[in-house]
Amino acid sequence: MEPDSSAVNYVNYEGSASIGGMPIEAHDPTYLEAYRQSIQNPVAFWEEQGHLLDWDRPWQQVLDNSNPPFSKWYVGGYLNACYNAIDRHILAGRGEQVALIHDSPLTGTVRRVTYQELYDQIILLAGGLAKMGVVKGDRVVIYMPLIPETIIAMLAIVRLGAIHSVVFGGFAARELCSRIEHVEPKLVIASNVGVEPGKVVPYLEILHSAINMSRWHPPQRNIIFMRDNVSVDTVDEGADVLWSDVLAMADANQPIACVPIEANDPLYILYTSGTTDKPKGVLRTIGGHLVALMYTLKRIYGIGPGDIWWAASDMGWVVGHSYICYGPLCLGATSVMYEGKPDRTPDPGQYFRIIDQYKVRSIFSVPTSFRVIRRADPDISYGRQYSMKSLRAIFIAGEHCDYETKMWIEKTFKVPALNHWWQTETGSAVTATCLGFQQSLSPPTYSTGLPLMGYDVKILKPDGSECESSELGRIVLKMPLPPGNMATLYKNEELFRKLYFQKFPGYYDTMDAGYKDERGYIFVTARDDDVINVAGHRISTSSLEDAVLRHPDVVDVAVFGVPEPTKGQVPLCLYIPVENCRKTDAKLSTEIIKLIRDVVGPIAAFRLITSVNNLPRTRSGKTMRKAMADFARNERVILPATIDDASVFTEIRRALQQLGYAMSAPDPIVAKLLD
């Protein structure tokens, strides 16, 4: 069913000076024309993009929007993700091209895996999985570190038409247990260990603990990949089978063929908790998602077949799924897998080394990684020996990027640092500055770019009316959403409707706050919870953080609202000074308060401020402002399983009590099992 174009809030292109509120003269005509087509006639636009993939059977209907919000794309079309990621490149004669570069300073190894080598391993693993009874529609949990075998496992599962659910290897037994109970897998595929700076993580032991505490019947078997170069472990012969033994089960003379899957059947289930909520199982379907990844890699990131691309993330996060595995492999690019940290494995020069050594064309990372490098090595004494000539741009997302960090990235790496915005739920970017169009690579400060194809972005007030230009409000996306977005929440369609589509009927509620300027650029300021109301004035905490980070002695900061009897709310600031800062806390805090008065004005009521050594973050680098705000209000704080280090709250308590808050706050607890 093609949507009624008259229902789209769209200024007609013909004879008009703007498209979707974007002045024609201000933007690349090629981008504007593509965006116009995607909004005015999404069926025709996405039908053309669908041909980026190889299909076993063509679709019968591009878009079925008869049951919103459950839109379906490429209805009746059949394809296989493994075929598009691997087989078609082999058949095109490109099997000897490197598909994955695994660089692991933690283990002192580098592996270059070609498309042919991936195919050979996937075929064997898929054959063994088939012998163990895995068929189309089955679920398989993967609990592995950032190694090529994780991607081999993902692609072997989808080759059979089964569904994978990758659990980030840093999760402990209770979090793994909750996901196993919810997804009910036939099998679990795990590694025996993972590696972190200074320690080995016992994955096999954690897996056994998770299964033992589970209230659901255990998976039929656990397949264990042994990292013999790290640790040799003993498996449970009753529950576990070695990866190598599963490969040996396959019939090498009869390789497993790809099972065609309808475009709206599940590809994977990925659990997300954000920074506050219990995990939600985002269910992603295959057809529209792969189309969106192919399109965005080319158009946003400027990547083509054979290019070297690095998404500095991990498997078990949406970035890893989209842009370490499926996107670059379907495109025929080379994907870098870096098993290390920005600063400690072994030094803060590793990002520079990776770029130079492998001739990386574009990077995707989080702002925190660059703040870490800047804090550890402000003079770039480790990184300056490497060449950045291959690099075209650095793309940042996942959290707000302050102006000082952005400028430092551009000065240091000598390429544009392009902020863009997306969510686990969307699977790829909603707004961006695109290398694949002739867009300005110097977008307005703090902007996350222009809307991507198919996204009709609106800024709404609480009553549902549209905000004026540059007025802060809730960011929503007009339905139907373009291909690639989540199809639903696994086993919870009611929550899917209520959480994302009930508050603003006809729109997907991003739950982010921001505004749109007169040229159509989108500014994502914070989660809507992070907008504070000071004496009736709505102030984004990110704007205050940006101002604090202008101070040369501050390397990181978190600002959040706390109660105050006269003004209702006032901002409280916790900041991290640069290494070897010689100023006292009192002197530096006084200078920051003056800076805020000069930049933002007295309206901010900015007086509560002190330094800390660390801030609480999720493993994906997001600062947990709401948790700190609740803690300051003496509320019980339940930390998500994604927290990187819960012990940070010992220092946070000291800092808050110094300012008169969290005086009776109970100790935070880490979330356990799903209800």
Side-chain angles (χ1 to χ4, degrees):
M1 174 181 175
E2 183 173 340
D4 178 8
S5 61
S6 65
V8 178
N9 187 359
Y10 169 75
V11 180
N12 196 300
Y13 181 62
E14 300 298 333
S16 171
S18 68
I19 296 175
M22 294 181 285
I24 289 175
E25 69 278 2
H27 300 295
D28 169 36
T30 308
Y31 158 76
L32 287 173
E33 176 60 18
Y35 183 73
R36 180 192 70 81
Q37 291 177 2
S38 75
I39 297 298
Q40 190 177 47
N41 194 348
V43 168
F45 180 85
W46 290 111
E47 181 165 31
E48 180 181 351
Q49 309 314 320
H51 296 293
L52 292 168
L53 298 173
D54 287 355
W55 298 77
D56 290 84
R57 188 187 310 171
W59 53 82
Q60 299 169 348
Q61 186 178 5
V62 177
L63 170 62
D64 177 1
N65 196 37
S66 60
N67 183 31
F70 302 99
S71 303
K72 295 182 177 181
W73 289 93
Y74 307 108
V75 179
Y78 281 76
L79 73 167
N80 184 278
C82 183
Y83 181 89
N84 277 277
I86 304 295
D87 296 52
R88 65 173 177 167
H89 305 310
I90 306 288
L91 294 172
R94 300 175 58 224
E96 296 310 308
Q97 179 191 315
V98 174
L100 301 174
I101 300 173
H102 179 249
D103 187 297
S104 175
L106 287 165
T107 60
T109 59
V110 174
R111 294 169 59 192
R112 290 175 172 85
V113 187
T114 67
Y115 278 92
Q116 183 67 54
E117 289 168 339
L118 274 183
Y119 173 84
D120 293 341
Q121 292 296 299
I122 290 166
I123 285 292
L124 292 177
L125 182 59
L129 292 175
K131 289 287 180 65
M132 297 179 72
V134 175
V135 297
K136 179 180 178 180
D138 283 341
R139 279 96 51 212
V140 179
V141 164
I142 299 173
Y143 184 59
M144 300 180 77
L146 187 66
I147 55 177
E149 283 72 22
T150 306
I151 289 180
I152 289 169
M154 294 166 67
L155 294 176
I157 291 165
V158 300
R159 189 176 190 87
L160 299 171
I163 305 157
H164 62 70
S165 183
V166 181
V167 179
F168 173 60
F171 282 160
R174 288 192 177 275
E175 288 72 50
L176 177 59
C177 172
S178 71
R179 287 148 176 80
I180 289 174
E181 286 190 331
H182 197 248
V183 83
E184 298 181 330
K186 177 172 282 188
L187 302 171
V188 174
I189 303 178
S191 174
N192 64 323
V193 293
V195 286
E196 294 284 343
K199 66 179 180 179
V200 174
V201 183
Y203 282 28
L204 184 57
E205 179 184 322
I206 293 169
L207 172 61
H208 288 161
S209 297
I211 291 175
N212 288 338
M213 69 177 64
S214 174
R215 297 165 293 185
W216 175 74
H217 63 83
Q220 293 178 5
R221 296 299 291 275
N222 307 314
I223 300 171
I224 308 301
F225 176 77
M226 285 291 178
R227 301 187 76 181
D228 294 329
N229 63 328
V230 179
S231 175
V232 178
D233 295 275
T234 302
V235 299
D236 180 342
E237 293 185 1
D240 306 329
V241 57
L242 290 174
W243 173 287
S244 55
D245 292 340
V246 176
L247 298 187
M249 295 179 190
D251 186 346
N253 296 319
Q254 291 186 332
I256 293 291
C258 294
V259 176
I261 300 297
E262 206 275 336
N264 295 282
D265 282 345
L267 175 66
Y268 67 73
I269 301 163
L270 179 62
Y271 287 88
T272 175
S273 60
T275 54
T276 55
D277 296 332
K278 295 177 181 179
K280 305 180 289 289
V282 168
L283 189 146
R284 190 90 62 201
T285 54
I286 175 174
H289 183 50
L290 297 188
V291 170
L293 296 182
M294 291 276 287
Y295 184 80
T296 52
L297 259 179
K298 294 171 70 174
R299 285 299 191 180
I300 299 177
Y301 307 109
I303 298 299
D307 285 341
I308 314 296
W309 157 258
W310 179 23
S313 185
D314 212 328
M315 307 314 299
W317 306 118
V318 69
V319 175
H321 282 52
S322 292
Y323 294 116
I324 296 178
C325 180
Y326 288 111
L329 295 185
C330 285
L331 186 62
T334 298
S335 180
V336 175
M337 305 176 75
Y338 174 63
E339 191 180 29
K341 301 293 184 182
D343 61 333
R344 292 170 285 160
T345 54
D347 57 54
Q350 294 308 295
Y351 269 44
F352 303 88
R353 176 185 65 80
I354 293 287
I355 294 165
D356 185 18
Q357 185 170 337
Y358 304 121
K359 302 299 181 278
V360 172
R361 185 174 177 85
S362 293
I363 298 177
F364 184 142
S365 191
V366 293
T368 296
S369 294
F370 298 101
R371 295 190 190 110
V372 166
I373 297 170
R374 182 185 178 192
R375 182 184 185 188
D377 186 20
D379 298 326
I380 317 300
S381 56
Y382 289 95
R384 68 165 61 103
Q385 62 183 298
Y386 300 104
S387 170
M388 300 292 103
K389 289 182 179 179
S390 66
L391 195 63
R392 288 189 64 197
I394 292 176
F395 291 87
I396 45 181
E399 60 170 340
H400 176 73
C401 183
D402 60 279
Y403 180 73
E404 295 302 319
T405 297
K406 181 179 186 297
M407 291 298 98
W408 182 86
I409 294 171
E410 294 187 339
K411 177 183 177 182
T412 303
F413 289 86
K414 300 178 175 59
V415 295
L418 301 174
N419 196 7
H420 64 327
W421 168 61
W422 53 302
Q423 302 176 327
T424 298
E425 291 86 347
T426 65
S428 58
V430 177
T431 68
T433 297
C434 300
L435 289 186
F437 290 108
Q438 298 301 311
Q439 293 183 341
S440 169
L441 299 184
S442 299
T445 303
Y446 309 126
S447 168
T448 61
L450 296 168
L452 262 293
M453 305 310 114
Y455 285 110
D456 192 0
V457 182
K458 304 296 183 186
I459 314 296
L460 300 185
K461 301 175 183 178
D463 64 4
S465 61
E466 194 163 354
C467 293
E468 299 294 329
S469 176
S470 299
E471 182 181 0
L472 187 65
R474 188 77 153 241
I475 306 175
V476 300
L477 311 174
K478 191 170 179 60
M479 295 169 62
L481 298 177
N485 284 266
M486 64 176 172
T488 188
L489 293 176
Y490 185 59
K491 294 183 179 179
N492 206 337
E493 291 190 351
E494 180 181 355
L495 180 62
F496 176 72
R497 288 178 182 270
K498 180 180 179 181
L499 191 61
Y500 298 105
F501 300 97
Q502 180 174 287
K503 187 176 181 67
F504 299 100
Y507 294 93
Y508 166 82
D509 181 8
T510 71
M511 288 171 268
D512 279 334
Y515 59 94
K516 183 190 299 187
D517 74 4
E518 67 281 356
R519 290 189 289 167
Y521 281 98
I522 306 299
F523 296 75
V524 182
T525 58
R527 293 300 285 178
D528 202 39
D529 290 337
D530 294 332
V531 176
I532 59 177
N533 195 319
V534 180
H537 299 282
R538 284 168 58 82
I539 300 175
S540 166
T541 56
S542 64
S543 65
L544 298 175
E545 291 176 359
D546 287 327
V548 173
L549 285 164
R550 294 189 184 189
H551 196 293
D553 292 324
V554 176
V555 74
D556 210 347
V557 63
V559 176
F560 48 91
V562 293
E564 198 274 339
T566 302
K567 298 180 182 296
Q569 269 188 313
V570 292
L572 187 149
C573 172
L574 302 179
Y575 66 90
I576 300 176
V578 297
E579 292 284 345
N580 303 316
C581 180
R582 297 184 178 182
K583 295 177 181 177
T584 65
D585 184 90
K587 178 173 176 54
L588 185 50
S589 295
T590 299
E591 291 178 2
I592 294 170
I593 291 172
K594 182 179 184 303
L595 179 63
I596 293 294
R597 288 187 66 88
D598 292 342
V599 174
V600 180
I603 190 175
F606 191 92
R607 300 182 188 87
L608 299 172
I609 179 171
T610 191
S611 67
V612 292
N613 292 315
N614 291 289
L615 293 167
R617 302 187 190 279
T618 65
R619 290 182 179 270
S620 59
K622 295 179 181 178
T623 303
M624 303 176 67
R625 296 174 185 83
K626 187 177 187 303
M628 288 187 284
D630 291 343
F631 191 58
R633 291 194 291 267
N634 299 310
E635 296 179 6
R636 167 72 68 183
V637 174
I638 300 178
L639 302 172
T642 51
I643 187 169
D644 187 50
D645 181 7
S647 68
V648 169
F649 270 88
T650 300
E651 184 188 13
I652 298 301
R653 178 190 294 278
R654 175 198 61 76
L656 291 175
Q657 289 184 345
Q658 180 181 329
L659 299 172
Y661 289 86
M663 304 304 291
S664 60
D667 289 337
I669 60 175
V670 178
K672 301 299 182 183
L673 296 174
L674 286 169
D675 291 334

